[in-house]
Amino acid sequence: GTIDPNRLDHIEGLEALEDADLVVLFTRFRALPDDQLELITNHASSGKPMVGFRTSTHAFRYPGESPHAEIMNNAWPIEVFGQKWITHHGNHGDDEERLTDVTIVEEMRDHPVLRGVEPFKACSWLYHVDGGGDKLPANAKVLTMGRSLISHYEKNGRTDRFPLDQPVSWI
């Protein structure tokens, strides 16, 4: 089938999660019907592994009147992925300009998740997940760090609240 990335209220084929050993989540601002949401939350509750990429901190966005709003918009991403959507260092560039410098945390260099990974510069802005009053869970192990190369928070003198250095990947 075809996945329509602009359709935020449906993901085809989620029934496969009932038997899945692993879920890789790379969604943004979805508001799924209860039956589809339940397939995802059941997998997360099962203790089976989940991998979340980039926007998994804000995989869901239910309107305020929804019974799912507080849990799925805020508590669930913290519980499952270690943080919720807070902010990012700015939507700059032309998709070719390097905006984030990503390095490997030296003591994690030999971790199996990082096999084959080298430092790189990314064309995307850096998400804020830790520091300035926000915290990753105490048991989070940061694998890679990013440094914002262009930040509206730096321009506005707000790096005390939104530090330029942020975890990019963690387990």
Side-chain angles (χ1 to χ4, degrees):
T2 301
I3 297 172
D4 180 354
N6 297 311
R7 184 167 180 196
L8 304 178
D9 65 348
H10 177 76
I11 300 175
E12 187 70 34
L14 285 178
E15 301 79 20
L17 298 184
E18 294 173 332
D19 299 318
D21 294 324
L22 168 73
V23 168
V24 177
L25 194 65
F26 190 22
T27 62
R28 180 176 179 265
F29 293 147
R30 303 290 166 161
L32 300 176
D34 289 351
D35 60 328
Q36 291 184 16
L37 180 61
E38 184 176 15
L39 292 165
I40 294 171
T41 59
N42 283 350
H43 182 90
S45 298
S46 76
K48 292 180 181 178
M50 292 187 76
V51 175
F53 283 97
R54 190 163 163 75
T55 55
S56 297
T57 60
H58 49 295
F60 301 100
R61 180 167 62 184
Y62 286 87
E65 67 275 4
S66 168
H68 302 302
E70 183 54 35
I71 291 172
M72 297 311 295
N73 297 356
N74 297 305
W76 192 83
I78 292 171
E79 179 183 332
V80 176
F81 294 116
Q83 192 51 280
K84 65 177 184 170
W85 163 251
I86 300 167
T87 189
H88 55 68
H89 279 274
N91 187 2
H92 309 284
D94 55 8
D95 294 330
E96 293 183 22
E97 185 177 3
R98 304 301 185 211
L99 303 174
T100 302
D101 188 14
V102 180
T103 58
I104 296 170
V105 174
E106 191 55 42
E107 56 268 18
M108 301 304 284
R109 181 169 293 286
D110 294 327
H111 194 282
V113 170
L114 292 175
R115 191 173 298 132
V117 175
E118 296 294 331
F120 61 95
K121 291 190 185 324
C123 296
S124 60
W125 55 90
L126 181 65
Y127 284 6
H128 171 84
V129 296
D130 194 68
D134 301 301
K135 295 252 182 239
L136 286 175
N139 65 347
K141 294 182 175 101
V142 176
L143 302 174
T144 59
M145 289 291 294
R147 179 163 186 86
S148 178
L149 301 175
I150 301 174
S151 169
H152 61 260
Y153 291 116
E154 183 176 33
K155 291 177 184 174
N156 296 332
R158 301 212 39 223
T159 57
D160 57 330
R161 172 64 180 100
F162 303 109
L164 295 176
D165 296 301
Q166 292 293 314
V168 170
S169 64
W170 58 91
I171 55 172

